[in-house]
Amino acid sequence: MMGGRREGALMRNSNAQSLRKSRIAIAIAVGIFLGAVFAFLYPHGIFVPSRPPLRNSISQVVPTSCESSERLNMLKAEFAAVSEKNAELQKQVNELTERIRLAEQAKDQAQKQVLALGVQHKAGPFGTVKGLRTNPAVVPDESVNPRLAKLLDKIAVQKEVIVALANSNVKEMLQVWFTSIKKVGIPNYVVVALDDAIAEFCESNDVPVYKRDPDEGIDSVGKHGGNHAVSGLKFRILREFLQLGYSVLLSDVDIVYLQNPFHHLYRDSDVESMSDGHNNMTAYGYNDVFDEPSMGWARYAHTMRIWVYNSGFFFIRPTIPAIELLDRVATRLSRENAWDQAVFNEELAFPSHPGYDGLHASRRTMDIYLFMNSKVLFKTVRKNDNLSKLKPVIVHINYHPDKLPRMKAVVEFYVNGKKDALKGFPDGSE
């Protein structure tokens, strides 16, 4: 009985284990089958986010690219507009700055005039007293020349203008002259044409030009005269400009402009002129000792010397002393066989003495490295590495007869950056 029960129990255990194994096998088989089904139906997995169809994707990318291109073009257009507006604003700022500077300058001059011409005052403390240097301007009189007054009203800036006289003898130099002015961007200039050909030449090149009314004496010299003869005319012609109330920067045509000269004037004197001096001493004055050994103890005599002002480039204000200067020089030149520059300097410099009343005109010497004559340039500046880096306001080819090639060389050197443009010329003339 005991053996029979033991065998029955073993059989039941064996059957239970077989059943468990069968269930596990079935579960594994079902799992494999379901895995295969899911693998077939979802080859990229169940949880991978769905992608839009290719057509939709392309349709979305293309508009985005177009929008970016259009946006870029809009930004470029906006940047260009802002840049243009900024340039215009900068120009206005520069103009306002210049006006403020001129206004302050005029205010200072007016205050000095009030102090000198108004109610009398006691002298101030030691070292604080300054005399009047700036004479008041004349009252403009447009009846002197209504046609010229109308022209100047259009082209002048702050009642100031560059004036040059020219006839056909200087046509090529005149072209270099006004081309340099245009390059710098100077708007207030005019050519006084002394013959019809120059008037037509200026008009064809969009250069402001003024042709005077017929004047037999002036026309004869103006049409056929050389440099010195034409130079003598300017003192008579300039008088009308001053009577109309305009300050004039008188300019010969053998000059190259590299900056706007009106930004470098002081306007505190009747005449501001460039110098023929070639260094600080000769241009601004020095104590020159004259030695006369026969005088023994008094052999040394001190003299004050200054090299002459250049009558081919000077700024003259519309004041009574300035107009008197023009009258004096023009009168002497009509009576004497003299050089206009010598007469110009004598009238400015000679003091009153027995039999002669000196001219009470104030004067200022321009900076010789800004308003440069050709001796300074070719003898000194071009040979000095530091000085040659400075950019002058103008260069006047007054010391050399080969004017046109030297003018062109100045343009090449200072404007076009050709470093050896000045090397081929001698210091002086040959």
Side-chain angles (χ1 to χ4, degrees):
M1 288 295 293
M2 291 294 290
R5 286 194 201 99
R6 194 177 294 116
E7 290 177 359
L10 291 172
M11 287 182 65
R12 284 195 299 272
N13 289 338
S14 176
N15 290 335
Q17 290 177 356
S18 298
L19 182 60
R20 273 198 300 271
K21 289 180 180 179
S22 297
R23 288 176 179 173
I24 292 171
I26 292 170
I28 291 172
V30 171
I32 292 172
F33 174 77
L34 291 175
V37 170
F38 279 106
F40 177 79
L41 294 177
Y42 302 100
H44 299 292
I46 299 175
F47 300 105
V48 175
S50 61
R51 294 183 181 178
L54 182 60
R55 181 176 299 176
N56 291 341
S57 180
I58 294 174
S59 65
Q60 290 177 3
V61 170
V62 172
T64 302
S65 176
C66 291
E67 285 181 10
S68 298
S69 178
E70 291 176 2
R71 181 61 179 166
L72 182 61
N73 291 334
M74 288 177 62
L75 289 172
K76 287 181 178 179
E78 290 176 1
F79 179 78
V82 170
S83 299
E84 184 177 348
K85 188 174 182 180
N86 183 58
E88 182 64 26
L89 288 173
Q90 186 61 47
K91 182 179 179 182
Q92 292 177 6
V93 168
N94 292 338
E95 290 178 354
L96 287 173
T97 302
E98 179 65 12
R99 288 184 181 181
I100 290 171
R101 187 181 68 81
L102 292 174
E104 290 176 346
Q105 200 174 63
K107 179 183 176 182
D108 180 61
Q109 293 169 2
Q111 289 174 341
K112 290 179 180 178
Q113 289 175 9
V114 169
L115 289 173
L117 303 176
V119 179
Q120 290 182 315
H121 297 274
K122 294 181 180 180
F126 179 82
T128 65
V129 177
K130 289 187 178 181
L132 178 66
R133 294 172 178 82
T134 309
N135 287 304
V138 298
V139 176
D141 183 5
E142 292 190 3
S143 65
V144 170
N145 191 330
R147 186 164 63 89
L148 178 59
K150 186 176 181 180
L151 172 64
L152 293 177
D153 184 58
K154 292 180 181 179
I155 64 174
V157 176
Q158 300 292 327
K159 303 286 284 186
E160 297 175 343
V161 63
I162 298 173
V163 177
L165 279 66
N167 61 18
S168 295
N169 293 334
V170 296
K171 182 178 179 180
E172 290 182 296
M173 286 192 291
L174 178 65
Q175 185 167 20
V176 178
W177 180 85
F178 67 63
T179 300
S180 69
I181 286 179
K182 290 182 177 182
K183 180 75 174 178
V184 174
I186 304 169
N188 48 328
Y189 70 101
V190 62
V191 174
V192 177
L194 300 176
D195 58 43
D196 294 334
I198 285 296
E200 294 171 2
F201 178 65
C202 290
E203 289 171 355
S204 65
N205 286 277
D206 196 27
V207 172
V209 62
Y210 169 67
K211 183 72 167 61
R212 300 183 75 256
D213 293 331
D215 185 310
E216 185 175 347
I218 290 180
D219 288 349
S220 177
V221 175
K223 291 178 181 178
H224 309 295
N227 287 342
H228 288 305
V230 171
S231 293
L233 291 178
K234 60 194 173 195
F235 299 98
R236 290 182 60 183
I237 293 174
L238 289 183
R239 193 186 203 278
E240 291 185 351
F241 286 80
L242 268 59
Q243 283 182 277
L244 294 172
Y246 290 87
S247 295
V248 173
L249 185 58
L250 187 280
S251 173
D252 282 353
V253 296
D254 57 343
I255 292 175
V256 176
Y257 286 76
L258 302 167
Q259 298 186 59
N260 190 328
F262 292 109
H263 297 164
H264 300 272
L265 298 174
Y266 286 81
R267 300 173 177 84
D268 64 347
S269 304
D270 297 304
V271 177
E272 288 181 59
S273 180
M274 73 173 295
S275 172
D276 273 1
H278 61 92
N279 54 29
N280 288 351
M281 188 174 73
T282 57
Y284 310 137
Y286 63 103
N287 182 6
D288 184 48
V289 180
F290 176 78
D291 184 10
E292 191 176 7
S294 63
M295 288 298 295
W297 176 82
R299 65 182 291 180
Y300 300 111
H302 291 260
T303 69
M304 300 307 299
R305 300 190 64 183
I306 183 173
W307 286 31
V308 295
Y309 289 137
N310 191 288
S311 63
F313 189 87
F314 60 85
F315 179 72
I316 186 166
R317 297 179 55 250
T319 65
I320 292 298
I323 294 174
E324 184 183 359
L325 170 66
L326 298 180
D327 289 351
R328 287 186 177 214
V329 176
T331 299
R332 283 188 56 186
L333 291 175
S334 67
R335 297 173 180 173
E336 306 171 16
N337 183 21
W339 182 26
D340 71 284
Q341 181 159 292
V343 175
F344 176 70
N345 278 273
E346 289 170 1
E347 293 299 332
L348 274 173
F350 286 172
S352 298
H353 55 264
Y356 176 79
D357 289 330
L359 180 70
H360 295 273
S362 57
R363 58 194 187 276
R364 170 182 282 274
T365 305
M366 293 176 170
D367 188 317
I368 61 171
Y369 294 109
L370 291 179
F371 299 90
M372 191 183 298
N373 63 56
S374 56
K375 183 175 182 178
V376 172
L377 175 62
F378 287 98
K379 187 178 179 181
T380 304
V381 170
R382 66 169 173 169
K383 302 174 184 178
N384 186 297
D385 290 338
N386 290 325
L387 291 177
S388 62
K389 294 176 184 177
L390 300 175
K391 189 174 185 178
V393 176
I394 61 107
V395 175
H396 189 178
I397 312 298
N398 61 315
Y399 268 101
H400 301 87
D402 51 339
K403 296 180 181 297
L404 185 60
R406 291 191 188 241
M407 289 178 71
K408 292 181 178 178
V410 168
V411 174
E412 289 294 324
F413 183 80
Y414 284 109
V415 179
N416 300 329
K418 189 176 180 181
K419 300 301 181 183
D420 60 347
L422 303 175
K423 290 183 179 179
F425 298 92
D427 288 356
S429 57
E430 294 181 341

